[in-house]
Amino acid sequence: MEMHNKHELESIRILAMMSKIISHTATCQHDQTARKLLMDGRQKEHYTQRQDTSAVRHRKTCKANEGSECLSQPSNETSNGANKRIPKREGHLDSPSKDDHVPVYTLVLVLVLSVCTRFYKITEPPHVCWDETHFGKMGSYYINRTFFFDVHPPLGKMLIGLAGYLTGYDGTFPFIKPGDKYEHHSYWGMRAFCAALGSCLPPFAFLIVLELSHSTPAALIAASLLIFDTGCITLSQYILLDPILMFFIMGSVLCMVRFNTQRLRPFGFSWWFWLLLTGFCLSGSLGVKFVGLFVILLVGINTAFDLWRLLGDLSLSLVDFGKHLLARVFGLIMLPLFLYTTIFAVHFVVLNRSGPGDGFFSSSFQSRLIGNNLHNASMPEYLAYGSVITVKNLRIAGGYLHSHWHLYPEGVGAHQQQVTGYLHKDYNNLWLVKRPDNSDDLTGPPELVRHGDIIRLEHKETTRNLHSHFHEAPLTKKHLQVTGYGINGSGDMNDLWQVEVCGGKKGDPVKVLRSKVRFLHRSTGCVLCSSGKTLPKWGWEQVEVTCSPYVKETPSTQWNIEDLINPKLPNISLSVLKPTFLEILWESHIVMIRGNSGLKPKDNEMNSKPWHWPINYQGLRFSGVNETEYRVYLLGNPVIWWLNLLSLALFVLMLTVAFLAKQRGVKMEGMRKVHCHTLMEGGGMLLLGWLLHYLPFYIMGRILYYHHYFPAMLFSSMLTGITLDIFLQNLHLLFSSSISHYLVRGGQFILLLGFIYSFYLFHPLSYGMRGPLAHDPASSMAGLRWMESWEF
């Protein structure tokens, strides 16, 4: 009952705010319609006045030079060709500047509503929710300067860590699992930072749509879709990368659109400002997640079309076109690349201490980490019999050669001890190098292992030998199985491996860390290999190790000796192994890309499908599962999401009609021409943005989640604003002017009222629920479970 009363009070406040929005929208609509009708006339009048002024000045000059022939023609061109006013091209409307001021009060209202909806109950629940487990922990790693591995670039986690540090978080909370209480730890700053960036999305959408359509109602509809969407609110209130990513994506689009409006004033301050700011936001998008590549592609396509138009402008010399080209290369390629590289430079400088991510990287990479056993270490230079070693695969994320007491399950090759690749340092990574006859000379000098020698590798913990035979590998069926076999070092002929130094010749010693080594199985002729595939739960989700019949040298079949313990051998310093910045930058990207592609669905784990997302088929549990817990459920406002889906179909229909009318030579003037241009250019750009951020997920092999759709949803919502506004503005084609006027007002009112009321109904999904679950008739959410797949 108490929660119900709170909801009623919230609804009263929201509805009061709604009335202000509607009245302001009506005023804006009246002013905007009048201004649009005069827009073309004003541009023509301005152009005519400019031409008349030039003509008068030309006549005065001729009169002052009586007796001389006046052959030159009046021109508005400056001496610098790069600053020419580009003539208006067919089908292109100049973007108004002074006449098209931003409706400040409406923008402020959008910002206030956005901030209020994102910061409301920002500290609840006071425990770890969903992926805060990962990204909160990674923020702690930055504060503690501990190296870790993640499949995403580092900018988002660095900013989360910085926000936590500046707001008093000391990096000591462990972030072990969802539901862990924060207690006295200062977590609010990291959540507030994400909420602040999430609060910028509706204002950005407002400005983008306003710039593309020159319509305040269209911009307000687009912004309202994001303000009152429960999904966008939920994603913005927690310690996640998504609000940071979407901030930079929307920032990139806004800066690109603003830069396009400066095409008539090239190389001015505003032109350079928006160009460079676009490059800055692009580097931020890619620096948070590789999904940022999609908005880079969108900006690249827009830039290519812009340059193509410039190339077709015969009043522009090739020299000036070259200046335009070089400016864009600098602002949209070189600057983002420099900033993106700088992000990684800061990342490597800050994370300089050994941590849980060491094992994903090469031995030389690890040697730069303070606390790693390879940092400023010394060990024997050469491998000798009787040494205890760790063997690391040279494939990125190939892992250490590893074994444990667990056996392969029945039906998976021979029922013998598992041999795997393990990505972390562990005692079970240790192997003893023995002679083929198991003889050990403990008194004489150490004998080095050389290219071509035959050895046995005995697992230190279990005393079983590295072994292979003619049984197929668990996952890579064309490879042979590798197992641990024997007792106390005794085995059979299938335990013998020939050492091969890559690029070496017979007699060459095996160098620790520096030699690339292969192990050829004597009985079968195959070579020890890390396939890179992840074993099921019976293999503890470690990397599959096989014996490959394909003996060609590849990183998967190459290994190095990383650790070596042999008191009989002299030690040397390993400081010479430290890699350069470019080498660790390249390696980190290979590891991230392979790690990303290796994210496969686990047993019984839900894998969302891309076709689920636009129809709002299924959400995600952020917190709580039973009626006694505080439950948060990530699900978009269904009214908004389904309206977006319908608007996509309506946009395609309206765009088709516009193209057919243009093809048939239908004369369009005034508002009709403005709307056609907005549909084709503004709406077309947003549709392309939606496609680029949605369709690639259909070909991705990695595990997918519902929240991956939200960047595409931003473009869909902005497109809905333009589509519905133009549809309403053109109702006069079907109805009389007096009726269409009221239909426009009524349509806008119903839309905003629908957004707000649906938000009132579904806002407990974002702000938390307690009590009976939705399938219980006694639940306050019982009537709102419109789809069986919704699990709140």
Side-chain angles (χ1 to χ4, degrees), residues 386-576:
S387 302
V388 177
I389 63 172
T390 61
V391 186
K392 192 175 193 314
N393 188 257
L394 295 187
R395 175 192 180 102
I396 301 298
Y400 294 93
L401 186 64
H402 176 95
S403 189
H404 40 234
W405 289 103
H406 302 281
L407 307 181
Y408 286 101
E410 293 289 347
V412 181
H415 190 54
Q416 296 177 5
Q417 185 170 297
Q418 296 176 15
V419 172
T420 64
Y422 190 49
L423 297 175
H424 305 280
K425 293 181 179 293
D426 187 83
Y427 185 78
N428 281 327
N429 298 342
L430 297 178
W431 299 81
L432 175 64
V433 181
K434 302 178 69 175
R435 292 181 175 84
D437 56 1
N438 281 335
S439 62
D440 290 317
D441 185 2
L442 301 178
T443 59
E447 181 183 349
L448 299 184
V449 177
R450 301 179 182 277
H451 177 93
D453 284 0
I454 308 298
I455 65 170
R456 292 179 189 264
L457 286 177
E458 177 186 314
H459 189 240
K460 186 69 174 173
E461 171 67 13
T462 64
T463 68
R464 289 193 169 126
N465 295 328
L466 187 69
H467 179 95
S468 187
H469 44 219
F470 287 104
H471 290 268
E472 65 181 18
L475 302 179
T476 311
K477 300 302 182 182
K478 293 184 178 181
H479 291 196
L480 301 182
Q481 183 188 34
V482 175
T483 67
Y485 180 74
I487 300 175
N488 294 325
S490 64
D492 60 21
M493 296 301 293
N494 285 335
D495 303 338
L496 300 181
W497 301 82
Q498 182 174 0
V499 177
E500 179 185 283
V501 178
C502 298
K505 59 182 182 300
K506 188 170 181 61
D508 286 349
V510 177
K511 297 180 180 178
V512 176
L513 290 172
R514 288 177 288 181
S515 291
K516 297 179 182 180
V517 179
R518 303 205 310 160
F519 298 97
L520 278 70
H521 192 241
R522 291 291 292 172
S523 298
T524 63
C526 60
V527 60
L528 189 67
C529 172
S530 174
S531 70
K533 298 177 181 178
T534 303
L535 293 169
K537 285 189 175 180
W538 58 256
W540 303 92
E541 297 175 355
Q542 296 174 9
V543 181
E544 179 193 37
V545 169
T546 67
C547 199
S548 172
Y550 309 107
V551 295
K552 182 180 179 181
E553 290 186 5
T554 65
S556 297
T557 61
Q558 293 174 332
W559 307 76
N560 72 345
I561 311 303
E562 182 171 286
D563 298 291
L564 191 149
I565 303 171
N566 193 327
K568 295 183 178 181
L569 295 173
N571 293 335
I572 63 166
S573 173
L574 302 180
S575 59
V576 295

Side-chain angles (χ1 to χ4, degrees), residues 308-350:
W308 184 253
R309 283 195 296 263
L310 289 174
L311 187 62
D313 181 10
L314 299 182
S315 66
L316 199 68
S317 69
L318 289 178
V319 173
D320 293 329
F321 174 78
K323 293 178 182 178
H324 277 275
L325 176 61
L326 290 177
R328 285 161 175 80
V329 168
F330 172 76
L332 300 179
I333 298 178
M334 296 179 65
L335 176 64
L337 189 60
F338 169 76
L339 294 175
Y340 181 74
T341 305
T342 302
I343 291 169
F344 276 89
V346 175
H347 168 74
F348 294 134
V349 168
V350 173

Side-chain angles (χ1 to χ4, degrees), residues 238-250:
Y238 297 94
I239 306 171
L240 302 172
L241 297 184
D242 300 271
I244 308 173
L245 171 68
M246 292 191 289
F247 171 83
F248 282 113
I249 288 176
M250 292 291 279

Side-chain angles (χ1 to χ4, degrees), residues 449-713:
V449 177
R450 301 179 182 277
H451 177 93
D453 284 0
I454 308 298
I455 65 170
R456 292 179 189 264
L457 286 177
E458 177 186 314
H459 189 240
K460 186 69 174 173
E461 171 67 13
T462 64
T463 68
R464 289 193 169 126
N465 295 328
L466 187 69
H467 179 95
S468 187
H469 44 219
F470 287 104
H471 290 268
E472 65 181 18
L475 302 179
T476 311
K477 300 302 182 182
K478 293 184 178 181
H479 291 196
L480 301 182
Q481 183 188 34
V482 175
T483 67
Y485 180 74
I487 300 175
N488 294 325
S490 64
D492 60 21
M493 296 301 293
N494 285 335
D495 303 338
L496 300 181
W497 301 82
Q498 182 174 0
V499 177
E500 179 185 283
V501 178
C502 298
K505 59 182 182 300
K506 188 170 181 61
D508 286 349
V510 177
K511 297 180 180 178
V512 176
L513 290 172
R514 288 177 288 181
S515 291
K516 297 179 182 180
V517 179
R518 303 205 310 160
F519 298 97
L520 278 70
H521 192 241
R522 291 291 292 172
S523 298
T524 63
C526 60
V527 60
L528 189 67
C529 172
S530 174
S531 70
K533 298 177 181 178
T534 303
L535 293 169
K537 285 189 175 180
W538 58 256
W540 303 92
E541 297 175 355
Q542 296 174 9
V543 181
E544 179 193 37
V545 169
T546 67
C547 199
S548 172
Y550 309 107
V551 295
K552 182 180 179 181
E553 290 186 5
T554 65
S556 297
T557 61
Q558 293 174 332
W559 307 76
N560 72 345
I561 311 303
E562 182 171 286
D563 298 291
L564 191 149
I565 303 171
N566 193 327
K568 295 183 178 181
L569 295 173
N571 293 335
I572 63 166
S573 173
L574 302 180
S575 59
V576 295
L577 298 176
K578 289 184 179 179
T580 65
F581 170 71
L582 291 180
E583 287 173 338
I584 62 177
L585 180 67
W586 175 256
E587 181 176 345
S588 63
H589 278 78
I590 299 299
V591 172
M592 285 190 294
I593 292 170
R594 290 183 177 172
N596 226 318
S597 62
L599 293 175
K600 307 295 184 183
K602 300 177 183 177
D603 293 343
N604 301 319
E605 184 177 10
M606 182 191 66
N607 184 25
S608 184
K609 305 293 185 184
W611 67 266
H612 291 172
W613 304 339
I615 62 175
N616 219 20
Y617 180 76
Q618 192 173 39
L620 273 172
R621 288 195 185 100
F622 262 49
S623 172
V625 293
N626 58 53
E627 62 184 31
T628 62
E629 294 178 324
Y630 189 95
R631 303 189 303 278
V632 176
Y633 190 71
L634 176 65
L635 184 73
N637 184 329
V639 172
I640 289 175
W641 282 54
W642 294 341
L643 180 65
N644 281 347
L645 195 59
L646 291 174
S647 297
L648 278 171
L650 180 60
F651 171 78
V652 173
L653 177 62
M654 292 168 60
L655 188 65
T656 302
V657 171
F659 273 118
L660 290 175
K662 185 176 181 181
Q663 187 68 19
R664 293 295 299 171
V666 176
K667 188 175 183 181
M668 290 181 285
E669 295 181 348
M671 287 302 300
R672 204 170 296 175
K673 186 176 182 180
V674 171
H675 290 158
C676 185
H677 173 266
T678 301
L679 277 176
M680 292 181 178
E681 293 209 2
M685 187 272 288
L686 294 176
L687 178 65
L688 178 62
W690 178 75
L691 293 172
L692 289 175
H693 286 81
Y694 176 51
L695 294 184
F697 288 101
Y698 280 94
I699 60 175
M700 288 188 184
R702 58 155 289 171
I703 187 171
L704 300 175
Y705 296 103
Y706 171 65
H707 69 99
H708 288 146
Y709 181 68
F710 277 83
M713 183 266 181

Side-chain angles (χ1 to χ4, degrees), residues 99-110:
D99 294 334
D100 260 351
H101 65 280
V102 175
V104 177
Y105 293 115
T106 310
L107 180 59
V108 169
L109 179 62
V110 167

Side-chain angles (χ1 to χ4, degrees), residues 678-753:
T678 301
L679 277 176
M680 292 181 178
E681 293 209 2
M685 187 272 288
L686 294 176
L687 178 65
L688 178 62
W690 178 75
L691 293 172
L692 289 175
H693 286 81
Y694 176 51
L695 294 184
F697 288 101
Y698 280 94
I699 60 175
M700 288 188 184
R702 58 155 289 171
I703 187 171
L704 300 175
Y705 296 103
Y706 171 65
H707 69 99
H708 288 146
Y709 181 68
F710 277 83
M713 183 266 181
L714 300 176
F715 289 93
S716 178
S717 298
M718 291 188 287
L719 183 59
T720 297
I722 289 178
T723 302
L724 294 182
D725 178 63
I726 293 179
F727 177 77
L728 292 174
Q729 295 293 339
N730 284 276
L731 287 177
H732 65 274
L733 298 175
L734 303 175
F735 304 95
S736 63
S737 298
S738 57
I739 295 177
S740 64
H741 173 73
Y742 289 107
L743 288 176
V744 171
R745 297 283 184 87
Q748 294 168 348
F749 181 87
I750 291 172
L751 284 173
L752 291 172
L753 183 62

